[in-house]
Amino acid sequence: MHEWAYLPDFAVAFVGVARNLDKLGFYEAINFPGHAITDLDIKAAAEKALGRKLKLSFMPWWVLRAGSPFVAMWREIVSMSYLRFEAHRLVSARLEEVIGEIPHTPLDRAVAEAMQDIGIAVAPSRQAA
């Protein structure tokens, strides 16, 4: 279980925070609870958007670890790999207190729209309206 934030939902929440700065303390850490999903959940949503089956494969983390002394970006990815290997779910009653209802586009729609946004053609029945 890992978090995936749909950027348009995150942006709406971020604007809500900016509009409500008077409700915040000097320093606060606030989570954005997006979609707590598994690899199979995101695969199923992508398959539904594309209208076809996909093969699931995994990133060879050992390559990133081996190259991390030489490639700064790989080093940073490896330093945050605990987010990949430790199941987690974000919650934030505080965000809801500050902005009201937290934006949450349904997963299937969010994945289809995200794929379209990066130029991947989705099945005609899955295209955003």
Side-chain angles (χ1 to χ4, degrees):
M1 179 82 48
H2 306 284
E3 283 287 333
W4 179 70
Y6 178 51
L7 189 56
D9 289 346
F10 181 80
V12 169
F14 194 87
V15 169
V17 169
R19 288 186 175 152
N20 290 284
L21 293 176
D22 58 319
K23 296 180 182 178
L24 297 173
F26 179 72
Y27 174 84
E28 293 193 43
I30 299 175
N31 293 325
F32 176 78
H35 294 275
I37 56 175
T38 66
D39 294 339
L40 294 177
D41 294 330
I42 197 78
K43 178 181 180 278
E47 288 175 341
K48 191 171 184 180
L50 295 170
R52 63 181 173 88
K53 292 287 182 188
L54 297 171
K55 177 185 172 193
L56 182 63
S57 61
F58 295 93
M59 186 162 72
W61 283 92
W62 69 270
V63 172
L64 293 179
R65 284 187 188 90
S68 66
F70 313 104
V71 182
M73 184 175 193
W74 291 8
R75 184 170 44 255
E76 296 306 316
I77 291 170
V78 168
S79 78
M80 301 207 42
S81 65
Y82 70 94
L83 293 170
R84 180 73 187 108
F85 297 113
E86 295 293 327
H88 63 279
R89 173 186 298 256
L90 297 177
V91 295
S92 186
R94 183 66 179 126
L95 179 60
E96 195 165 15
E97 289 172 3
V98 173
I99 70 169
E101 185 177 345
I102 298 171
H104 189 81
T105 302
L107 181 63
D108 288 340
R109 183 172 144 212
V111 169
E113 289 177 6
M115 293 174 82
Q116 282 185 289
D117 288 345
I118 61 171
I120 297 173
V122 299
S125 63
R126 302 307 306 163
Q127 291 181 357

